[in-house]
């Protein structure tokens, strides 16, 4: 108090500093603070500190930690191999501002990117050490260089200009249907598993254990194939930013494999985008607990939360078409991850099936994963059995014809099928019946109509004396399936059709009269067209396009119908994801050149996702040499 009263005295600060000194000190202090906070945002390993300081502002503390632990971080574009695809997606695909715009329209921005663009840059870099499990050198450029045809073909249609114009118009119509189906899904159900077009909302279901976006994953390769570049970028952005694997429900091993794993694998092979490879491998690892059974035959359901296999009772059984339709995808998971465990799991399935007795050479549909014995002697080339046979011949083809075990198993099974199941109706229609302990059910399911295409695909490598027979058998089965369409009022086929009591190729009850946008008939049309170039298959395919437009197209998407024998059918309010993955893809290929996704380079999984033939000089895929 005394010093204040002394005239002319300038007091020092409490620290003994005069005013000029105080100014210099504050200037130094402010510079130090600026330097510290600048380092907080600019140093490469500051994300943990940033989460601490920014948590109150984002109101989502720890969201990045959860994403990293579950493997949901976006993969750095810098790590992606170059994309030499001839029809690469549109320029600007990686523009973050564009992706944010897409997400904001669906209300996802707050949920997925709570910290804004500044933090996004570090969230890409920080999790890299956590990707060690999928760090593996896959030479994408070398893979693409081994393909014998351009992925999207050469677009030199038939000889005459008139024919070119017609086929081009038909192809463009199918493309328009795909765009319509996608745009309505995006508008009303983006991120849900499927669109419900009548109620204009999304459907989740309980088949995928909490995984979402089945339609998106299933559509990726179809959008790419049809060069719907903007739509492909929308789908890719969703996979990168919103496809999360930290789910806890019970999922169908089969459905997750063929739709999600298959869709992600094909998207990677078509584009080289690393995000698809990483997601496929991480999801594949979540499926491995299903194989933890006494025999190694996987259960049909896997619990994503506990990692256990579902229905763990000694009396339950696994389904042939489910555990027998893993081989293609799991070999590619090993190829892209360097982890032999995936190939080892499916090789063991082969080992079990090779040793077990087959009644009359046939494979029943149900097998105990505990005892390794057949549970029932019910045999079907339709539902429950179908894709097991498909994956045998396709394993042979995908291995560049080195997997002789698959080849031998396929042709032995086919001989048993033609001996015991193939019949000809009094009206001259060839069909594949179902077998129950020696007694035949004279019916054929829509699912079994893939068999015409499968038999045509395998005819070339059959015994020389059987090749012409198999080609004719394939054509006759496909004709029968066309008859099941042609004999309905809508020109769409029923779920199952019978050959008895004087009625042929028609359903006999309403519960089998529905059509849910299934692809198997047009799949066979596509394979038979490629093998024979008989114009009848394109004609039949166009009939399907017209019927879909007339009876299944609604204001907001495509829907299945409940009765194919009614000209005013009720809709089932479901746009199945496989309609975009399979039905529209096979129709598009039917009206395209044979070298678009050429059979020399690609095989389709049972969800129509293309997987590449192994053209390497020495077969590197595990399980191909026996």
């Amino acid at each position: 108090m005394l010093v204040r009263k002394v005239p002319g005295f300038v007091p020092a600060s409490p620290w003994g500093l005069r005013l000029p000194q105080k100014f210099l000190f504050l200037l130094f202090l402010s510079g130090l603070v600026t330097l510290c906070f600048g380092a907080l945002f600019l140093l490469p390993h500051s994300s943990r500190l940033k989460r601490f300081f920014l948590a109150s502002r984002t109101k989502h503390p720890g969201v990045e930690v959860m994403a990293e632990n579950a493997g949901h971080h976006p993969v750095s574009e810098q790590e992606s191999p170059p994309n030499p695809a001839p029809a690469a997606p549109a320029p600007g695909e990686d523009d973050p501002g564009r992706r944010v715009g897409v997400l904001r329209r669906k209300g996802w921005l707050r949920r997925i990117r709570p910290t804004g663009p500044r933090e996004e840059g570090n969230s890409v870099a920080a999790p890299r050490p956590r990707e060690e499990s999928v760090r593996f050198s896959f030479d994408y450029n070398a893979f693409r260089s081994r393909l014998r045809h351009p992925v999207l073909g050469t677009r030199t249609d038939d000889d005459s200009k008139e024919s070119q114009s017609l086929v081009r118009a038909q192809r463009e119509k199918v493309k328009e249907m795909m765009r319509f189906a996608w745009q309505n899904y995006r508008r009303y159900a983006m991120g849900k598993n499927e669109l419900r077009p009548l109620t204009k909302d999304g459907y989740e279901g309980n088949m995928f254990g909490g995984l979402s976006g089945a339609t998106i994953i299933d559509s990726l390769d179809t959008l790419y194939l049809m060069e719907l570049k903007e739509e492909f970028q929308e789908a890719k952005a969703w996979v990168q930013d919103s496809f999360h694997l930290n789910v806890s429900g019970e999922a169908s091993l089969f459905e997750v494999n063929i739709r999600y794993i298959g869709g992600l694998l094909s998207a990677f092979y078509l584009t080289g985008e690393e995000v698809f490879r990483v997601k496929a491998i991480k999801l594949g690892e979540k499926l491995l607990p299903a194989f933890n059974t006494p025999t190694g035959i996987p259960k049909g359901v896997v619990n994503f939360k506990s990692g256990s296999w579902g229905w763990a009772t000694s009396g339950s059984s696994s389904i042939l078409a489910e555990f027998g339709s893993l081989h293609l995808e799991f070999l590619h998971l090993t190829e892209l991850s360097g982890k032999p465990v995936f190939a080892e799991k499916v090789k063991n399935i082969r080992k079990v099936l090779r040793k077990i007795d087959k009644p009359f050479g046939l494979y029943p549909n149900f097998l105990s994963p505990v005892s390794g014995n057949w549970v029932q002697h019910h045999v079907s080339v339709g539902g429950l059995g179908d894709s097991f046979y498909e994956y045998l011949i396709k394993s042979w083809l995908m291995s560049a014809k080195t997997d002789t075990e698959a080849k031998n198993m396929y042709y032995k099974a086919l001989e048993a099928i033609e001996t015991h199941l193939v019949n000809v109706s009094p009206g001259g229609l060839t069909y594949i019946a179902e077998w129950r302990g020696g007694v035949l059910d004279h019916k054929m399911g829509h699912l079994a109509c893939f068999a015409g295409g499968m038999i045509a695909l395998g005819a070339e490598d059959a015994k020389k004396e059987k090749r012409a027979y198999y080609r004719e058998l394939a054509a006759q089965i496909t004709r029968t399936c066309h008859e099941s369409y042609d004999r309905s009022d809508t020109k769409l086929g029923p779920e199952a059709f019978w050959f008895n009591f004087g009625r042929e190729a028609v359903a006999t009850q309403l519960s089998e009269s529905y059509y849910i946008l299934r692809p198997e008939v047009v799949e066979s049309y596509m394979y038979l067209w490629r093998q024979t170039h008989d114009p009848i298959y394109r004609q039949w395919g166009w009939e399907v396009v017209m019927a879909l437009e007339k009876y299944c197209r609604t204001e907001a998407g495509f829907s299945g119908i409940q009765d194919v024998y009614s000209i005013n059918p009720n809709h089932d309010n479901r746009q199945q994801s496989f309609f975009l993955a399979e039905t529209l893809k096979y129709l598009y290929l039917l009206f395209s050149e044979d070298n678009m996704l050429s059979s020399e380079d690609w095989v389709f999984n049972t969800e129509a996702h293309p997987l590449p033939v192994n053209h390497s000089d020495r077969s590197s895929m595990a399980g191909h040499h026996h």
Side-chain angles (χ1 to χ4, degrees):
M1 297 294 295
L2 180 63
V3 294
R4 284 189 181 178
K5 297 179 181 179
V6 177
F9 181 80
V10 180
S13 71
W15 294 333
L17 297 175
R18 300 188 184 278
L19 188 59
Q21 294 171 318
K22 183 193 295 184
F23 176 80
L24 291 174
F25 177 80
L26 291 176
L27 185 63
F28 171 79
L29 186 61
S30 64
L32 182 62
V33 170
T34 302
L35 180 63
C36 290
F37 275 86
L40 180 64
F41 288 97
L42 296 175
L43 288 178
H45 298 292
S46 59
S47 59
R48 186 174 303 173
L49 289 172
K50 287 171 64 180
R51 284 196 293 270
F52 177 79
F53 282 107
L54 299 178
S56 60
R57 184 177 65 178
T58 64
K59 299 182 181 180
H60 288 273
V63 68
E64 292 179 27
V65 178
M66 293 165 54
E68 289 172 34
N69 288 341
H72 301 155
H73 51 271
V75 179
S76 170
E77 296 295 340
Q78 294 177 350
E79 293 183 354
S80 300
N83 178 10
E93 60 176 298
D94 293 319
D95 179 5
R98 185 177 178 280
R99 284 203 302 268
V100 169
V102 172
L103 296 176
R104 185 179 290 114
R105 286 198 297 273
K106 305 309 294 181
W108 295 339
L109 184 60
R110 292 188 303 275
R111 200 164 67 241
I112 304 307
R113 291 185 172 177
T115 53
R118 177 184 292 179
E119 182 157 356
E120 179 189 347
N122 278 294
S123 68
V124 174
R128 284 184 183 176
R130 297 181 181 272
E131 292 180 17
E132 290 178 1
S133 62
V134 294
R135 282 194 171 187
F136 178 73
S137 177
F138 179 81
D139 192 336
Y140 184 78
N141 287 331
F143 151 69
R144 288 300 294 260
S145 70
R146 289 192 294 266
L147 296 180
R148 298 172 183 176
H149 301 275
V151 173
L152 300 184
T154 56
R155 300 293 172 86
T156 55
D157 290 311
D158 301 330
D159 296 335
S160 69
K161 290 183 179 179
E162 180 182 358
S163 178
Q164 277 191 25
S165 176
L166 173 61
V167 173
R168 186 181 301 112
Q170 292 171 321
R171 184 169 61 237
E172 286 300 311
K173 177 57 185 175
V174 177
K175 181 175 179 177
E176 183 276 330
M177 294 167 70
M178 179 66 186
R179 184 187 292 112
F180 178 77
W182 171 263
Q183 288 177 346
N184 280 282
Y185 167 79
R186 181 189 62 195
R187 179 177 181 182
Y188 298 113
M190 189 71 171
K192 301 293 185 181
N193 282 320
E194 290 172 330
L195 166 68
R196 299 197 300 182
L198 300 188
T199 51
K200 297 181 180 178
D201 58 8
Y203 174 80
E204 286 289 68
N206 56 9
M207 199 162 47
F208 305 120
L211 294 173
S212 58
T215 292
I216 298 173
I217 307 294
D218 255 352
S219 298
L220 282 164
D221 50 23
T222 309
L223 293 172
Y224 184 89
L225 180 70
M226 295 184 183
E227 299 182 86
L228 292 168
K229 297 179 181 181
E230 180 178 349
E231 292 82 355
F232 177 83
Q233 292 308 319
E234 293 166 351
K236 175 193 164 188
W238 184 90
V239 173
Q240 180 164 315
D241 298 329
S242 305
F243 180 46
H244 300 324
L245 306 182
N246 57 336
V247 293
S248 58
E250 287 195 341
S252 164
L253 171 68
F254 170 75
E255 296 290 350
V256 171
N257 177 63
I258 66 170
R259 300 195 200 205
Y260 286 90
I261 301 291
L264 291 167
L265 288 172
S266 66
F268 170 72
Y269 281 119
L270 290 172
T271 68
E273 295 288 354
E274 191 75 347
V275 62
F276 300 130
R277 183 182 76 94
V278 171
K279 298 277 189 181
I281 295 166
K282 287 184 176 293
L283 182 54
E285 289 170 346
K286 292 177 71 72
L287 299 181
L288 291 176
F291 295 83
N292 295 334
T293 66
T295 59
I297 296 293
K299 290 296 297 184
V301 172
V302 61
N303 189 308
F304 283 144
K305 183 176 182 180
S306 66
S308 64
W309 41 286
W311 305 335
T313 60
S314 59
S316 64
S317 56
S318 298
I319 296 172
L320 180 68
E322 295 187 348
F323 67 78
S325 303
L326 305 168
H327 207 92
L328 304 183
E329 297 85 356
F330 273 53
L331 288 188
H332 278 288
L333 287 175
T334 285
E335 183 82 350
L336 295 183
S337 70
K339 296 183 176 182
V341 61
F342 298 108
E344 289 168 355
K345 296 298 185 185
V346 291
K347 284 170 63 179
N348 179 68
I349 294 174
R350 286 260 192 96
K351 181 179 178 182
V352 173
L353 290 175
R354 191 172 63 247
K355 289 182 177 180
I356 192 172
D357 288 335
K358 273 76 72 176
F360 302 100
L362 297 168
Y363 289 82
N365 291 335
F366 300 99
L367 182 72
S368 168
V370 176
S371 68
N373 296 321
W374 302 116
V375 176
Q376 299 177 24
H377 282 189
H378 171 220
V379 178
S380 170
V381 180
L384 305 178
D386 48 10
S387 49
F388 163 70
Y389 306 99
E390 174 189 358
Y391 272 40
L392 290 178
I393 188 60
K394 288 182 177 179
S395 292
W396 160 249
L397 296 173
M398 194 178 78
S399 70
K401 303 185 179 181
T402 62
D403 187 352
T404 54
E405 178 182 65
K407 176 186 178 183
N408 293 335
M409 289 175 69
Y410 169 75
Y411 288 110
K412 286 180 181 178
L414 186 57
E415 288 177 4
I417 289 168
E418 64 179 278
T419 300
H420 299 286
L421 305 184
V422 172
N423 280 262
V424 179
S425 72
L429 297 179
T430 301
Y431 63 97
I432 305 176
E434 297 188 5
W435 188 85
R436 298 179 185 274
V439 178
L440 291 182
D441 282 342
H442 293 276
K443 74 168 183 177
M444 190 169 174
H446 193 294
L447 288 167
C449 283
F450 87 100
M454 176 187 73
I455 294 170
L457 188 63
E460 178 184 347
D461 295 317
K463 296 176 183 177
K464 189 173 182 179
E465 64 272 17
K466 300 275 287 189
R467 292 173 189 171
Y469 167 75
Y470 282 141
R471 290 191 180 101
E472 180 61 21
L473 178 62
Q476 290 302 321
I477 291 172
T478 302
R479 183 173 78 92
T480 297
C481 291
H482 170 259
E483 285 298 314
S484 76
Y485 275 53
D486 198 51
R487 297 182 186 193
S488 79
D489 295 81
T490 59
K491 304 304 178 185
L492 294 167
E495 182 69 5
F497 45 94
W498 290 77
F499 300 86
N500 52 19
F501 307 114
R503 304 184 69 188
E504 297 185 0
V506 293
T508 58
Q509 50 193 350
L510 184 61
S511 62
E512 297 175 333
S513 298
Y514 59 88
Y515 172 72
I516 58 172
L517 308 175
R518 287 203 187 277
E520 290 77 21
V521 172
V522 295
E523 175 183 358
S524 286
Y525 292 169
M526 189 275 291
Y527 281 115
L528 269 292
W529 161 257
R530 285 193 169 188
Q531 184 177 94
T532 68
H533 284 187
D534 186 335
I536 193 64
Y537 297 112
R538 280 183 166 172
Q539 177 184 323
W540 290 350
W542 189 246
E543 291 172 3
V544 175
V545 170
M546 293 295 96
L548 288 169
E549 284 285 288
K550 184 173 183 179
Y551 294 105
C552 298
R553 186 164 181 149
T554 72
E555 178 187 347
F558 288 90
S559 171
I561 57 177
Q562 296 177 359
D563 185 4
V564 298
Y565 301 105
S566 169
I567 59 174
N568 295 301
N570 293 320
H571 292 97
D572 66 9
N573 197 26
R574 289 277 298 279
Q575 181 175 277
Q576 303 278 353
S577 78
F578 56 68
F579 178 68
L580 292 81
E582 300 185 73
T583 310
L584 293 178
K585 183 186 287 114
Y586 285 132
L587 284 169
Y588 191 77
L589 291 171
L590 177 62
F591 299 111
S592 300
E593 277 301 294
D594 294 353
N595 60 5
M596 173 179 282
L597 291 180
S598 167
S599 59
E600 289 189 60
D601 290 325
W602 305 89
V603 297
F604 294 98
N605 86 337
T606 198
E607 191 79 1
H609 295 307
L611 299 172
V613 171
N614 184 25
H615 285 317
S616 59
D617 295 335
R618 181 178 57 85
S619 181
S620 60
M621 285 190 181
H624 280 192
H625 290 299
H626 304 281

